C-alpha cells in the first residue's frame, strides 16, 4: 500500500453533529480546512463503517484502502474522502460543526423513478402530527417556505 507524505497536525477534537440516512448522532472530530477526520469509534457509531483489515467496511461492503489514498491517515478517516468513495454528497459546515452525508445519486434516481415521496411528519397549527403516509391515495398540496 502506498504511503501518503501529507502530515496532519491534529489539535484537540471538537464535538460535531452528523446526519446520515436521516439519523442524527454526535461525536468528536478534527477539522482541517474542508476536511473532517473521525476516529474509528465515531465513524462506526455515526455512519456504520468500520476500519478492518479488508478496508473500510459496512455490512458486506468493503472499500479497499489501497485504492483510496488519503481516506485513512494516522488511524483517522477523512469524511470528505469517504463521501467521495461512496459517491454520496457531503454537506459540511465546519464552523457550525455539522455534517450531512446525503444519499448516493443512484439511490436518489431510484426514488425519483418510483414517484413515491418519502414519508415525513409535520404538525398542524394545533400541534397534532400528521404523516404523508396518512394521505396516500389522496391529492395533497404541500406548501413550503424558508425565511432565509
Amino acid at each position: 500500500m502506498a504511503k501518503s507524505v501529507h502530515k496532519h497536525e491534529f489539535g484537540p477534537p471538537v464535538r460535531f453533529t452528523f446526519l446520515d440516512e436521516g439519523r442524527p448522532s454526535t461525536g468528536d472530530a478534527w477539522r482541517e480546512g474542508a476536511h473532517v477526520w473521525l476516529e474509528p469509534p465515531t465513524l462506526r457509531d455515526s455512519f456504520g463503517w468500520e476500519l478492518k483489515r479488508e478496508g473500510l467496511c459496512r455490512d458486506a461492503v468493503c472499500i479497499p484502502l489501497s485504492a483510496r489514498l488519503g481516506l485513512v491517515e494516522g488511524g483517522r478517516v477523512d469524511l470528505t474522502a469517504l463521501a467521495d468513495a461512496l459517491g454520496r454528497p457531503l454537506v459540511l459546515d465546519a464552523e457550525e460543526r455539522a455534517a450531512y452525508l446525503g444519499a448516493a445519486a443512484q439511490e436518489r434516481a431510484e426514488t425519483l423513478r418510483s414517484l413515491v415521496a418519502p414519508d415525513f411528519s409535520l404538525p398542524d397549527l394545533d400541534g397534532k402530527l400528521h404523516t404523508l403516509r396518512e394521505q396516500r391515495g389522496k391529492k395533497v398540496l404541500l406548501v413550503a417556505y424558508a425565511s432565509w
Side-chain angles (χ1 to χ4, degrees), residues 9-121:
E9 299 290 329
F10 293 113
V14 294
R15 200 76 173 158
F16 256 76
T17 297
F18 303 107
L19 292 160
D20 183 33
E21 298 177 1
R23 186 178 56 88
S25 63
T26 58
D28 289 339
W30 288 260
R31 292 179 12 204
E32 182 187 49
H35 297 266
V36 173
W37 294 86
L38 308 175
E39 292 279 352
T42 300
L43 183 70
R44 180 195 62 232
D45 296 345
S46 296
F47 299 100
W49 289 90
E50 293 190 71
L51 197 53
K52 296 183 177 179
R53 207 173 54 191
E54 305 91 289
L56 200 55
C57 302
R58 182 177 183 181
D59 301 324
V61 176
C62 286
I63 301 169
L65 298 181
S66 60
R68 297 289 177 179
L69 193 61
L71 180 60
V72 177
E73 290 188 24
R76 294 187 177 115
V77 178
D78 179 359
L79 185 56
T80 303
L82 175 62
D84 183 52
L86 297 173
R88 294 175 65 184
L90 176 67
V91 177
L92 178 64
D93 188 332
E95 292 302 314
E96 293 297 324
R97 299 181 316 236
Y100 176 82
L101 189 58
Q106 180 179 351
E107 185 180 332
R108 291 190 312 270
E110 289 170 8
T111 300
L112 285 173
R113 275 193 298 276
S114 76
L115 298 178
V116 175
D119 194 33
F120 59 89
S121 299

